[in-house]
Amino acid sequence: MSVTTLKSVAGITIPDSTIANQATELLLTHGTEFIYNHSLRVFLFASLNGRRDNLKYDPELLYVSSVFHDLGLVPHYSSPDKRFEVDGANAARDFLKSHGLPKESLQLVWDTIALHTTIGIAEHKEAEVALMYSGVGLDVMGEGYENLSELNRNEIITAYPRNDFKNKIIPTFFSGFEHKTETTFGNIKSDVCAFMIPNFHQKNFCDCILHSPWSE
């Protein structure tokens, strides 16, 4: 695929370590240009939020998390029965384990990816987890858009274009779990299934309670 490779965007340095570069290669090999651009924007938005809020975080781990956060949507990493977020988290953990990173770093990256769509939890965890959540929220739903300067916004989307993102991201999400829609129960991706599948019947927590095997 044809992609942009830059050392710095909007004043944020893009990690250039062996681990970062190898992670990028995996994204380029198994992902798409659309997911690549989204992932790099997420890293930059997350980093800008971290700088604005004066948070201490590990840029390399945040970068690897950004690179892997949607790779659970692509066939190479997609499992038949796990949430795509977990597939991406497992892939990142295996990748970093092969580089000998300590278990604390492996767990941090796993949480950062696995929780990036978990509203109400991720934003209260470690800086990397919270920043990933904020970067995804900014790119996908525009959360915190008002805090992004026009200069930074234009520089980022020039380097990593959105390319009709609003209309393409929902089908992109769906393509990653249309074979396992049951994994969206209890999370926001069930809304994607409801949007994409006519008359989709969403599993309901209250039904699970009322139809449990308990006799009373």
Side-chain angles (χ1 to χ4, degrees), residues 83 114-124 133 137 141 143 186-189 191:
R83 284 179 58 162
L115 295 173
H116 80 265
T117 63
T118 305
I119 296 171
I121 299 294
E123 60 264 45
H124 301 293
Y133 174 80
M141 298 182 292
E143 292 184 340
N187 67 78
I188 60 175
K189 290 303 185 285
D191 294 340

Side-chain angles (χ1 to χ4, degrees), residues 52-76:
R52 186 189 71 246
D53 294 336
N54 197 29
L55 296 178
K56 293 182 179 180
Y57 64 95
D58 187 315
E60 183 179 63
L61 294 184
L62 182 62
Y63 181 79
V64 171
S65 298
S66 300
V67 164
F68 275 91
H69 89 279
D70 272 348
L71 278 179
L73 295 170
V74 305
H76 182 78

Side-chain angles (χ1 to χ4, degrees), residues 24 28-29 38 42 48-49 58-60 64 105 108 120 124 139 145-146 154 171-172 174 180:
T24 304
L28 294 173
T29 300
H38 166 58
V42 164
L48 285 172
N49 287 341
D58 187 315
E60 183 179 63
V64 171
S105 296
L108 179 58
H124 301 293
D139 199 43
Y145 183 88
E146 68 280 2
N154 289 339
T172 296
F174 184 64
K180 50 179 180 179

Side-chain angles (χ1 to χ4, degrees), residues 103-122:
K103 63 180 182 179
E104 293 80 8
S105 296
L106 302 182
Q107 188 62 57
L108 179 58
V109 168
W110 195 94
D111 287 352
T112 300
I113 298 171
L115 295 173
H116 80 265
T117 63
T118 305
I119 296 171
I121 299 294

